[in-house]
Amino acid sequence: MQHRAIGVFDSGVGGLTVFKEIARLLPKENLIYLGDTARVPYGTKSVETVQRYALEAAEFLINRGVKVLVVACNTASAVALPQLRQRFQLPVIGVIEPGARRAASSQNQRIGVIGTEGTINSRRYPEAIHALLPDALISSIACPLFVPLAEEGWAEHEIARLTAVEYLQPLMTENIDTLVLGCTHYPLLRNTLRRVLGDGVSLVDSATETAKSVQQLIQQNGLENPDSGGQHTFFVTDVPTRFEKVGQSFLGKSLGRIEQVQIG
Amino acid sequence: MQHRAIGVFDSGVGGLTVFKEIARLLPKENLIYLGDTARVPYGTKSVETVQRYALEAAEFLINRGVKVLVVACNTASAVALPQLRQRFQLPVIGVIEPGARRAASSQNQRIGVIGTEGTINSRRYPEAIHALLPDALISSIACPLFVPLAEEGWAEHEIARLTAVEYLQPLMTENIDTLVLGCTHYPLLRNTLRRVLGDGVSLVDSATETAKSVQQLIQQNGLENPDSGGQHTFFVTDVPTRFEKVGQSFLGKSLGRIEQVQIG
């Protein structure tokens, strides 16, 4: 069991921010990544459709014998985690709970959450934060333009700053001290968000938090890979060209071999 | 045969701009629209994947007995038209040829083309325009942010204007007199594009041109519906909620009943 890989999936390339953190914290683990690039994005699609896609992606990784499943996509974590845990026997970690736990350390209990339409409409972040901090004032805002801005390479462009001002205005007047980046693309916008919000707001990056949860789970359950390992394998459902190009800017290095597969 | 409907498909909601024009020119025709909303967008996906999706969408409409197939999606028209024409017997009309024909009336033969990555990379517009106007100087630019801006309802927002300035700068220095709006979403940005480019540039809207081609084809082949007809039916591959909301702003009126189907 310990020799098995950790499986990570996302609708596309965004989950590589989670993948990168896991690889950093657990350099000996073999990792398999699946990006459902033929059907990306999930964030604008319905609960039913995202649940179906998530089950199909999970099945693909489980058929490859992974020991832990990481749902590195906020939208899929928001709407499909109970189904995945019910259907499969292995440990399943999503990005919402780790992010919510970190957000619950807010000092003034005024917390902002940003994400895709699917994630925000699910209300999973407010639910998870309220479970830990019942009196927290939580404001959630969907920011659909942040993903295309990040993928265009405009994360630090003036247009990204103006877009952030437009979206975050309501959060700024509410005096939040914590903002949850509820989409795996958003860490790429970190500098821009900081410029708009100032240094007083702490940014919760679910990638970092999720990787810590994976590390904890692996250690507490004696699932560490005893070998040197560290092999990384990438699968995508569309032709890899675009994933390779954008993925490189996410990982900060070349991804190596990427294989195209059909799921669903 | 004449009693049959005209089938129209797009990756999502954008093709409704074409649908609307067809309905205006041919009020007696029954129209069936399919939006592949579970897999939208096509514009960032590979040629192979878009070809597969287009064949599946066409098959769905043909199984419903349509007399003409309209590919109301620039990306699918750019990469899948030969395959569709080869596979199926009925007349297939895409949006590229009608737009190119209109663009070829450029006075100074300096023409700009904007579209998705898939459409621009295919080079189909320059090919089609050069076939009519061999010496034309054609500059093509992919504008990935225009679709999310239009869907966000920000088509006339200052952020859309700045984005247009950023994308169109190279076209402005080339003194173009014609700009092809090579994506069915772009007519929504018409006012913004006009503000940026000035009145000297004529904007070619493939929706209008394609509808004229459909009208011509129907008339020349004696395919007009002899009955009063005018029934409009909508199918989508994801839950209809979002399509309904965004579609209303495209059509300028309620869409009526929308049915969810699975294809592929």
Side-chain angles (χ1 to χ4, degrees), chain B residues 13-24:
Chain B
V13 78
L16 288 176
T17 57
V18 179
F19 181 94
K20 183 183 179 182
E21 284 303 305
I22 298 174
R24 200 173 59 80

Side-chain angles (χ1 to χ4, degrees), chain A residues 37-41 44-49 52-53 117 142-145 148-149 151-152 154 157-159 162-164 166-167 237-239 242 245 260 262, chain B residues 37-41 44-49 52-53 117 142-145 148-149 151-152 154 157-159 162-164 166-167 237-239 242 245 260 262:
Chain A
T37 49
R39 306 191 291 196
V40 72
T44 51
K45 286 165 192 157
S46 71
V47 169
E48 295 84 334
T49 294
R52 176 161 63 90
Y53 290 174
E117 283 181 76
C143 305
L145 280 166
L149 280 166
E151 295 208 344
E152 186 68 331
W154 289 10
H157 193 289
E158 174 66 4
I159 289 173
L162 293 171
T163 305
E166 184 78 24
Y167 281 138
T237 54
D238 195 2
V239 173
R242 193 170 193 272
K245 198 183 106 196
Q260 188 185 352
Q262 263 207 18
Chain B
T37 49
R39 306 191 292 196
V40 72
T44 51
K45 286 163 193 159
S46 71
V47 169
E48 296 85 334
T49 295
R52 178 161 62 90
Y53 290 174
E117 282 181 78
C143 306
L145 280 166
L149 280 166
E151 295 208 343
E152 186 68 332
W154 288 12
H157 193 288
E158 174 67 6
I159 288 172
L162 292 171
T163 304
E166 184 78 22
Y167 281 137
T237 54
D238 195 2
V239 173
R242 192 169 194 273
K245 197 183 107 196
Q260 188 184 353
Q262 264 206 16

Side-chain angles (χ1 to χ4, degrees), chain B residues 100-151:
Chain B
R101 221 161 24 238
R102 181 71 187 70
S105 60
S106 158
Q107 291 298 307
N108 73 0
Q109 304 206 16
R110 291 170 166 264
I111 300 166
V113 178
I114 56 176
T116 65
E117 282 181 78
T119 299
I120 298 306
N121 291 343
S122 78
R123 310 272 321 143
R124 280 301 171 281
Y125 271 113
E127 266 176 41
I129 297 169
H130 275 141
L132 302 164
L133 211 59
D135 296 330
L137 185 83
I138 303 171
S139 310
S140 307
I141 294 174
C143 306
L145 280 166
F146 281 170
V147 169
L149 280 166
E151 295 208 343

Side-chain angles (χ1 to χ4, degrees), chain A residues 47-173:
Chain A
V47 169
E48 295 84 334
T49 294
V50 175
Q51 285 174 345
R52 176 161 63 90
Y53 290 174
L55 285 170
E56 290 166 356
E59 206 149 54
F60 172 84
L61 290 170
I62 287 161
N63 287 340
R64 285 196 138 60
V66 298
K67 60 186 172 188
V68 172
L69 182 66
V70 182
V71 184
C73 169
N74 277 270
T75 309
S77 297
V79 306
L81 225 52
Q83 284 78 4
L84 294 172
R85 286 182 173 148
Q86 196 186 342
R87 174 81 68 93
F88 305 110
Q89 298 306 312
L90 83 179
V92 180
I93 292 188
V95 291
I96 307 260
E97 288 153 24
R101 221 162 22 238
R102 180 73 187 70
S105 59
S106 158
Q107 291 298 308
N108 72 0
Q109 306 207 14
R110 289 168 167 266
I111 300 167
V113 178
I114 57 177
T116 65
E117 283 181 76
T119 300
I120 298 306
N121 290 343
S122 77
R123 311 269 324 142
R124 282 298 171 281
Y125 271 112
E127 266 176 40
I129 298 169
H130 276 142
L132 302 164
L133 211 60
D135 295 331
L137 186 82
I138 304 171
S139 309
S140 306
I141 294 175
C143 305
L145 280 166
F146 281 169
V147 168
L149 280 166
E151 295 208 344
E152 186 68 331
W154 289 10
E156 309 206 352
H157 193 289
E158 174 66 4
I159 289 173
R161 194 188 65 81
L162 293 171
T163 305
V165 168
E166 184 78 24
Y167 281 138
L168 303 182
Q169 205 65 61
L171 298 181
M172 287 154 78
T173 59

